[in-house]
Amino acid sequence: MAESRLDEYRKKRDFQKTSEPEDLSVQFDWVKSEPIFVIQKHAASTLHYDFRLEVDGVLKSWAVPKGPSTNPSIKRLAVPTEDHPLAYADFEGVIPEGEYGGGTIMVWDRGTYRNLKEGDETGGAPPTVAEQLEDGHVAIWLEGQKLRGGYALIRTGSGEKARWLLIKMDDGEADSQRDPVDEEPNSVKTGRSMEEIQQSLESGD
Ligand code: MN
């Protein structure tokens, strides 16, 4: 199942040239029993933040040009991209120039998440996150190192014109004074800056 959904991921990449994960089996020491999320800062042709959620064995993915906000009044555009393998959540490094997504990738935030939707009054089960994606309205609670609290992903428009918005919910974790994209720029995996990740490649680390 997850294998065929990753066809597009594999088709876009030459694993002789990029160090991105090809092996789809993975174990993380930083994850317990809940599904994971990761946000990767990606300096490609333009800087963006790749927001990825574990759903049914793959990472559903969106490119968020301005990155996530902790301010509930700010809506951030999120452009869907191809499903990525779970192993990608640990990837930090440099994709060679000229390859798909060429540029530096940092693990900017990561953690687990849970479904915030509730069941109906008749005792029905809450919609799964996969069902919420189909419906174009996802409500989740993130437990990351930088981001915590409720977030909504909302689809507007349809077909080719479909766009998603990533919005902080107005809960106790909302903070209009914080700006994690600007104030907390480094990797949660290694503490490195984008420049340090880039340089480690050049020095062969
Ligand atoms: Mn990207």
Side-chain angles (χ1 to χ4, degrees):
M1 238 321 244
E3 285 280 321
S4 64
R5 280 180 288 150
L6 293 168
D7 284 349
E8 190 181 348
Y9 171 83
R10 274 184 291 234
K11 214 175 296 169
K12 287 182 163 164
R13 290 169 176 80
D14 180 348
F15 294 105
Q16 305 294 333
K17 294 186 178 151
T18 180
S19 57
E20 294 164 283
E22 182 178 16
D23 180 8
L24 304 183
S25 61
V26 64
Q27 294 264 306
F28 296 118
D29 55 8
W30 52 276
V31 177
K32 311 267 186 289
S33 55
E34 290 180 301
I36 63 165
F37 82 95
V38 63
I39 301 173
Q40 281 155 319
K41 188 172 174 178
H42 186 184
S45 50
T46 57
L47 181 72
H48 59 272
Y49 292 75
D50 288 303
F51 184 76
R52 310 190 198 280
L53 282 182
E54 177 183 358
V55 180
D56 295 341
V58 297
L59 293 172
K60 303 304 288 185
S61 298
W62 296 260
V64 182
K66 292 186 175 173
S69 177
T70 53
N71 182 344
S73 66
I74 292 178
K75 300 174 172 67
R76 289 283 156 85
L77 177 68
V79 181
T81 58
E82 76 274 18
D83 293 352
H84 279 51
L86 286 183
Y88 211 90
D90 230 15
F91 179 70
E92 182 167 283
V94 180
I95 302 170
E97 290 304 325
E99 295 305 301
Y100 176 71
T104 304
I105 293 189
M106 166 198 286
V107 179
W108 182 79
D109 197 16
R110 66 184 178 187
T112 57
Y113 78 90
R114 60 186 167 81
N115 186 352
L116 277 181
K117 290 250 168 121
E118 292 174 0
D120 59 29
E121 307 77 40
T122 63
T128 64
V129 171
E131 288 165 343
Q132 295 175 43
L133 283 168
E134 285 287 314
D135 292 344
H137 194 293
V138 179
I140 50 175
W141 181 277
L142 301 180
E143 283 289 342
Q145 291 177 243
K146 292 174 182 169
L147 301 185
R148 286 194 82 240
Y151 276 82
L153 269 164
I154 296 164
R155 185 174 58 215
T156 64
S158 59
E160 292 283 290
K161 294 216 173 98
R163 293 286 179 275
W164 291 76
L165 297 170
L166 176 65
I167 308 168
K168 178 74 195 75
M169 290 180 188
D170 196 0
D171 56 26
E173 300 293 337
D175 187 346
S176 59
Q177 304 304 308
R178 253 185 94 195
D179 186 355
V181 162
D182 262 8
E183 293 160 4
E184 299 166 63
N186 290 355
S187 168
V188 296
K189 181 182 172 183
T190 61
R192 294 183 296 178
S193 66
M194 292 299 264
E195 292 71 24
E196 287 166 330
I197 295 168
Q198 169 74 39
Q199 283 158 11
S200 71
L201 177 88
E202 285 158 7
S203 65
D205 290 348

mmCIF file with all atom_site columns, all heavy atoms in Angstrom, residues 117 127 130-137 155 164:
data_model
loop_
_atom_site.group_PDB
_atom_site.id
_atom_site.type_symbol
_atom_site.label_atom_id
_atom_site.label_alt_id
_atom_site.label_comp_id
_atom_site.label_asym_id
_atom_site.label_entity_id
_atom_site.label_seq_id
_atom_site.pdbx_PDB_ins_code
_atom_site.Cartn_x
_atom_site.Cartn_y
_atom_site.Cartn_z
_atom_site.occupancy
_atom_site.B_iso_or_equiv
_atom_site.pdbx_formal_charge
_atom_site.auth_seq_id
_atom_site.auth_comp_id
_atom_site.auth_asym_id
_atom_site.auth_atom_id
_atom_site.pdbx_PDB_model_num
ATOM 1   N N   . LYS A 1 117 ? -10.359 15.707 16.158 1.00 0.00 ? 117 LYS A N   1
ATOM 2   C CA  . LYS A 1 117 ? -11.788 15.593 15.855 1.00 0.00 ? 117 LYS A CA  1
ATOM 3   C C   . LYS A 1 117 ? -12.453 14.595 16.790 1.00 0.00 ? 117 LYS A C   1
ATOM 4   O O   . LYS A 1 117 ? -11.864 13.583 17.168 1.00 0.00 ? 117 LYS A O   1
ATOM 5   C CB  . LYS A 1 117 ? -11.985 15.153 14.391 1.00 0.00 ? 117 LYS A CB  1
ATOM 6   C CG  . LYS A 1 117 ? -11.591 16.245 13.401 1.00 0.00 ? 117 LYS A CG  1
ATOM 7   C CD  . LYS A 1 117 ? -12.773 16.837 12.673 1.00 0.00 ? 117 LYS A CD  1
ATOM 8   C CE  . LYS A 1 117 ? -12.349 18.104 11.948 1.00 0.00 ? 117 LYS A CE  1
ATOM 9   N NZ  . LYS A 1 117 ? -12.548 18.070 10.516 1.00 0.00 ? 117 LYS A NZ  1
ATOM 10  N N   . PRO A 1 127 ? -13.740 10.960 12.706 1.00 0.00 ? 127 PRO A N   1
ATOM 11  C CA  . PRO A 1 127 ? -13.109 10.701 11.403 1.00 0.00 ? 127 PRO A CA  1
ATOM 12  C C   . PRO A 1 127 ? -11.594 10.574 11.565 1.00 0.00 ? 127 PRO A C   1
ATOM 13  O O   . PRO A 1 127 ? -10.986 11.298 12.349 1.00 0.00 ? 127 PRO A O   1
ATOM 14  C CB  . PRO A 1 127 ? -13.471 11.931 10.576 1.00 0.00 ? 127 PRO A CB  1
ATOM 15  C CG  . PRO A 1 127 ? -13.856 12.992 11.557 1.00 0.00 ? 127 PRO A CG  1
ATOM 16  C CD  . PRO A 1 127 ? -14.367 12.281 12.775 1.00 0.00 ? 127 PRO A CD  1
ATOM 17  N N   . ALA A 1 130 ? -6.892  10.453 7.741  1.00 0.00 ? 130 ALA A N   1
ATOM 18  C CA  . ALA A 1 130 ? -7.002  10.178 6.298  1.00 0.00 ? 130 ALA A CA  1
ATOM 19  C C   . ALA A 1 130 ? -8.356  10.640 5.770  1.00 0.00 ? 130 ALA A C   1
ATOM 20  O O   . ALA A 1 130 ? -8.444  11.240 4.690  1.00 0.00 ? 130 ALA A O   1
ATOM 21  C CB  . ALA A 1 130 ? -6.796  8.684  6.035  1.00 0.00 ? 130 ALA A CB  1
ATOM 22  N N   . GLU A 1 131 ? -9.420  10.397 6.528  1.00 0.00 ? 131 GLU A N   1
ATOM 23  C CA  . GLU A 1 131 ? -10.761 10.849 6.120  1.00 0.00 ? 131 GLU A CA  1
ATOM 24  C C   . GLU A 1 131 ? -10.853 12.376 6.133  1.00 0.00 ? 131 GLU A C   1
ATOM 25  O O   . GLU A 1 131 ? -11.475 12.984 5.252  1.00 0.00 ? 131 GLU A O   1
ATOM 26  C CB  . GLU A 1 131 ? -11.825 10.234 7.034  1.00 0.00 ? 131 GLU A CB  1
ATOM 27  C CG  . GLU A 1 131 ? -12.016 8.739  6.788  1.00 0.00 ? 131 GLU A CG  1
ATOM 28  C CD  . GLU A 1 131 ? -12.794 8.016  7.906  1.00 0.00 ? 131 GLU A CD  1
ATOM 29  O OE1 . GLU A 1 131 ? -12.925 8.562  9.024  1.00 0.00 ? 131 GLU A OE1 1
ATOM 30  O OE2 . GLU A 1 131 ? -13.238 6.891  7.640  1.00 0.00 ? 131 GLU A OE2 1
ATOM 31  N N   . GLN A 1 132 ? -10.221 12.990 7.111  1.00 0.00 ? 132 GLN A N   1
ATOM 32  C CA  . GLN A 1 132 ? -10.225 14.454 7.179  1.00 0.00 ? 132 GLN A CA  1
ATOM 33  C C   . GLN A 1 132 ? -9.490  15.069 5.984  1.00 0.00 ? 132 GLN A C   1
ATOM 34  O O   . GLN A 1 132 ? -9.884  16.121 5.481  1.00 0.00 ? 132 GLN A O   1
ATOM 35  C CB  . GLN A 1 132 ? -9.590  14.925 8.488  1.00 0.00 ? 132 GLN A CB  1
ATOM 36  C CG  . GLN A 1 132 ? -10.389 14.524 9.724  1.00 0.00 ? 132 GLN A CG  1
ATOM 37  C CD  . GLN A 1 132 ? -9.661  14.909 11.009 1.00 0.00 ? 132 GLN A CD  1
ATOM 38  O OE1 . GLN A 1 132 ? -9.111  15.988 11.125 1.00 0.00 ? 132 GLN A OE1 1
ATOM 39  N NE2 . GLN A 1 132 ? -9.647  13.991 11.970 1.00 0.00 ? 132 GLN A NE2 1
ATOM 40  N N   . LEU A 1 133 ? -8.420  14.409 5.543  1.00 0.00 ? 133 LEU A N   1
ATOM 41  C CA  . LEU A 1 133 ? -7.700  14.896 4.355  1.00 0.00 ? 133 LEU A CA  1
ATOM 42  C C   . LEU A 1 133 ? -8.612  14.855 3.133  1.00 0.00 ? 133 LEU A C   1
ATOM 43  O O   . LEU A 1 133 ? -8.643  15.787 2.338  1.00 0.00 ? 133 LEU A O   1
ATOM 44  C CB  . LEU A 1 133 ? -6.460  14.033 4.106  1.00 0.00 ? 133 LEU A CB  1
ATOM 45  C CG  . LEU A 1 133 ? -5.271  14.309 5.019  1.00 0.00 ? 133 LEU A CG  1
ATOM 46  C CD1 . LEU A 1 133 ? -4.224  13.204 4.871  1.00 0.00 ? 133 LEU A CD1 1
ATOM 47  C CD2 . LEU A 1 133 ? -4.648  15.664 4.712  1.00 0.00 ? 133 LEU A CD2 1
ATOM 48  N N   . GLU A 1 134 ? -9.361  13.760 3.004  1.00 0.00 ? 134 GLU A N   1
ATOM 49  C CA  . GLU A 1 134 ? -10.330 13.646 1.904  1.00 0.00 ? 134 GLU A CA  1
ATOM 50  C C   . GLU A 1 134 ? -11.353 14.780 1.955  1.00 0.00 ? 134 GLU A C   1
ATOM 51  O O   . GLU A 1 134 ? -11.711 15.350 0.935  1.00 0.00 ? 134 GLU A O   1
ATOM 52  C CB  . GLU A 1 134 ? -11.079 12.304 2.008  1.00 0.00 ? 134 GLU A CB  1
ATOM 53  C CG  . GLU A 1 134 ? -10.259 11.107 1.585  1.00 0.00 ? 134 GLU A CG  1
ATOM 54  C CD  . GLU A 1 134 ? -10.082 11.055 0.077  1.00 0.00 ? 134 GLU A CD  1
ATOM 55  O OE1 . GLU A 1 134 ? -11.089 11.253 -0.633 1.00 0.00 ? 134 GLU A OE1 1
ATOM 56  O OE2 . GLU A 1 134 ? -8.943  10.844 -0.370 1.00 0.00 ? 134 GLU A OE2 1
ATOM 57  N N   . ASP A 1 135 ? -11.799 15.077 3.172  1.00 0.00 ? 135 ASP A N   1
ATOM 58  C CA  . ASP A 1 135 ? -12.819 16.116 3.359  1.00 0.00 ? 135 ASP A CA  1
ATOM 59  C C   . ASP A 1 135 ? -12.245 17.529 3.262  1.00 0.00 ? 135 ASP A C   1
ATOM 60  O O   . ASP A 1 135 ? -13.001 18.510 3.226  1.00 0.00 ? 135 ASP A O   1
ATOM 61  C CB  . ASP A 1 135 ? -13.475 15.973 4.747  1.00 0.00 ? 135 ASP A CB  1
ATOM 62  C CG  . ASP A 1 135 ? -14.306 14.711 4.862  1.00 0.00 ? 135 ASP A CG  1
ATOM 63  O OD1 . ASP A 1 135 ? -14.621 14.118 3.802  1.00 0.00 ? 135 ASP A OD1 1
ATOM 64  O OD2 . ASP A 1 135 ? -14.622 14.307 5.998  1.00 0.00 ? 135 ASP A OD2 1
ATOM 65  N N   . GLY A 1 136 ? -10.923 17.653 3.300  1.00 0.00 ? 136 GLY A N   1
ATOM 66  C CA  . GLY A 1 136 ? -10.303 18.973 3.188  1.00 0.00 ? 136 GLY A CA  1
ATOM 67  C C   . GLY A 1 136 ? -10.322 19.782 4.466  1.00 0.00 ? 136 GLY A C   1
ATOM 68  O O   . GLY A 1 136 ? -10.209 21.010 4.421  1.00 0.00 ? 136 GLY A O   1
ATOM 69  N N   . HIS A 1 137 ? -10.451 19.096 5.614  1.00 0.00 ? 137 HIS A N   1
ATOM 70  C CA  . HIS A 1 137 ? -10.415 19.821 6.880  1.00 0.00 ? 137 HIS A CA  1
ATOM 71  C C   . HIS A 1 137 ? -9.818  18.927 7.958  1.00 0.00 ? 137 HIS A C   1
ATOM 72  O O   . HIS A 1 137 ? -10.483 18.016 8.456  1.00 0.00 ? 137 HIS A O   1
ATOM 73  C CB  . HIS A 1 137 ? -11.823 20.282 7.273  1.00 0.00 ? 137 HIS A CB  1
ATOM 74  C CG  . HIS A 1 137 ? -11.802 21.304 8.374  1.00 0.00 ? 137 HIS A CG  1
ATOM 75  N ND1 . HIS A 1 137 ? -11.394 21.012 9.652  1.00 0.00 ? 137 HIS A ND1 1
ATOM 76  C CD2 . HIS A 1 137 ? -12.119 22.622 8.356  1.00 0.00 ? 137 HIS A CD2 1
ATOM 77  C CE1 . HIS A 1 137 ? -11.474 22.111 10.393 1.00 0.00 ? 137 HIS A CE1 1
ATOM 78  N NE2 . HIS A 1 137 ? -11.903 23.109 9.637  1.00 0.00 ? 137 HIS A NE2 1
ATOM 79  N N   . ARG A 1 155 ? -8.574  22.934 3.151  1.00 0.00 ? 155 ARG A N   1
ATOM 80  C CA  . ARG A 1 155 ? -8.482  23.016 1.686  1.00 0.00 ? 155 ARG A CA  1
ATOM 81  C C   . ARG A 1 155 ? -9.495  24.031 1.166  1.00 0.00 ? 155 ARG A C   1
ATOM 82  O O   . ARG A 1 155 ? -10.652 24.034 1.589  1.00 0.00 ? 155 ARG A O   1
ATOM 83  C CB  . ARG A 1 155 ? -8.760  21.646 1.067  1.00 0.00 ? 155 ARG A CB  1
ATOM 84  C CG  . ARG A 1 155 ? -8.563  21.611 -0.454 1.00 0.00 ? 155 ARG A CG  1
ATOM 85  C CD  . ARG A 1 155 ? -8.697  20.191 -1.000 1.00 0.00 ? 155 ARG A CD  1
ATOM 86  N NE  . ARG A 1 155 ? -10.001 19.639 -0.665 1.00 0.00 ? 155 ARG A NE  1
ATOM 87  C CZ  . ARG A 1 155 ? -10.226 18.349 -0.367 1.00 0.00 ? 155 ARG A CZ  1
ATOM 88  N NH1 . ARG A 1 155 ? -9.247  17.476 -0.355 1.00 0.00 ? 155 ARG A NH1 1
ATOM 89  N NH2 . ARG A 1 155 ? -11.430 17.935 -0.058 1.00 0.00 ? 155 ARG A NH2 1
ATOM 90  N N   . TRP A 1 164 ? -4.251  24.647 0.175  1.00 0.00 ? 164 TRP A N   1
ATOM 91  C CA  . TRP A 1 164 ? -4.473  24.376 1.589  1.00 0.00 ? 164 TRP A CA  1
ATOM 92  C C   . TRP A 1 164 ? -3.929  25.540 2.406  1.00 0.00 ? 164 TRP A C   1
ATOM 93  O O   . TRP A 1 164 ? -2.990  26.223 1.972  1.00 0.00 ? 164 TRP A O   1
ATOM 94  C CB  . TRP A 1 164 ? -3.753  23.090 2.008  1.00 0.00 ? 164 TRP A CB  1
ATOM 95  C CG  . TRP A 1 164 ? -4.335  21.831 1.437  1.00 0.00 ? 164 TRP A CG  1
ATOM 96  C CD1 . TRP A 1 164 ? -4.196  21.369 0.163  1.00 0.00 ? 164 TRP A CD1 1
ATOM 97  C CD2 . TRP A 1 164 ? -5.138  20.856 2.132  1.00 0.00 ? 164 TRP A CD2 1
ATOM 98  N NE1 . TRP A 1 164 ? -4.862  20.162 0.025  1.00 0.00 ? 164 TRP A NE1 1
ATOM 99  C CE2 . TRP A 1 164 ? -5.439  19.832 1.209  1.00 0.00 ? 164 TRP A CE2 1
ATOM 100 C CE3 . TRP A 1 164 ? -5.625  20.759 3.437  1.00 0.00 ? 164 TRP A CE3 1
ATOM 101 C CZ2 . TRP A 1 164 ? -6.206  18.723 1.555  1.00 0.00 ? 164 TRP A CZ2 1
ATOM 102 C CZ3 . TRP A 1 164 ? -6.389  19.646 3.775  1.00 0.00 ? 164 TRP A CZ3 1
ATOM 103 C CH2 . TRP A 1 164 ? -6.681  18.643 2.845  1.00 0.00 ? 164 TRP A CH2 1
#
